[in-house]
Amino acid sequence: MSEIPTVLFVCVHNAGRSQMAAGYLRALGGDRVRVLAAGSEPAASLNPVAVAAMAEEGIDIAGAQPALLAVDDVRASDVVITMGCGDACPIFPGKRYEDWELTDPAGRGLDEVRVIRDDIRARVDELLASLV
């Protein structure tokens, strides 16, 4: 693993789950970790309910833009966290891969997204503890 590990979060639309996870890891990890997020079929914009749920935590992800998953991002990452993107993520030897089974926040209300957000927070806490 690199001196400063790179973590890539991947979900289908890169508009909710992966953006919330990236927001938490950036906020909690600071300069101890490099964070990337992408989607296999990125949406045009972030899920506004996910943005609102993260704002409640004091984390602003509103300026993030969904991005298309790039092979070079996978190659550059030490840890790749997938969230329901199936086989869209290329596999490279020597990388740490985890698949987080999380409910997609798309179309869900704030109360439901808070539960997803809190699940993501707990997983990011565990991930960060394993990295630093």
Side-chain angles (χ1 to χ4, degrees):
M1 192 172 299
S2 309
E3 188 173 312
I4 296 177
T6 299
V7 177
L8 170 62
F9 293 102
V10 184
C11 68
V12 177
H13 301 296
N14 189 222
R17 295 169 288 190
S18 57
Q19 293 289 354
M20 288 190 288
Y24 270 128
L25 190 55
R26 284 186 188 106
L28 300 171
D31 59 2
R32 298 176 296 162
V33 63
R34 181 173 173 245
V35 182
L36 304 172
S40 54
E41 298 174 21
S45 61
L46 292 189
N47 177 333
V49 181
V51 172
M54 291 301 289
E56 291 179 347
E57 295 284 287
I59 299 173
D60 182 6
I61 62 169
Q65 291 295 314
L68 181 63
L69 176 63
V71 172
D72 286 343
D73 286 341
V74 179
R75 189 176 287 121
S77 297
D78 298 295
V79 181
V80 179
I81 307 293
T82 58
M83 305 171 180
C85 59
D87 296 331
C89 193
I91 305 294
F92 290 100
K95 307 283 179 203
R96 174 178 159 191
Y97 290 88
E98 292 183 24
D99 184 51
W100 292 358
E101 291 186 27
L102 296 162
T103 302
D104 188 345
R108 300 188 184 277
L110 186 56
D111 287 340
E112 290 176 285
V113 174
R114 285 181 183 125
V115 173
I116 298 165
R117 175 202 65 199
D118 294 347
D119 187 4
I120 290 170
R121 167 68 190 255
R123 292 170 190 249
V124 167
D125 284 339
E126 289 178 19
L127 174 64
L128 186 58
S130 75
L131 294 175
V132 294

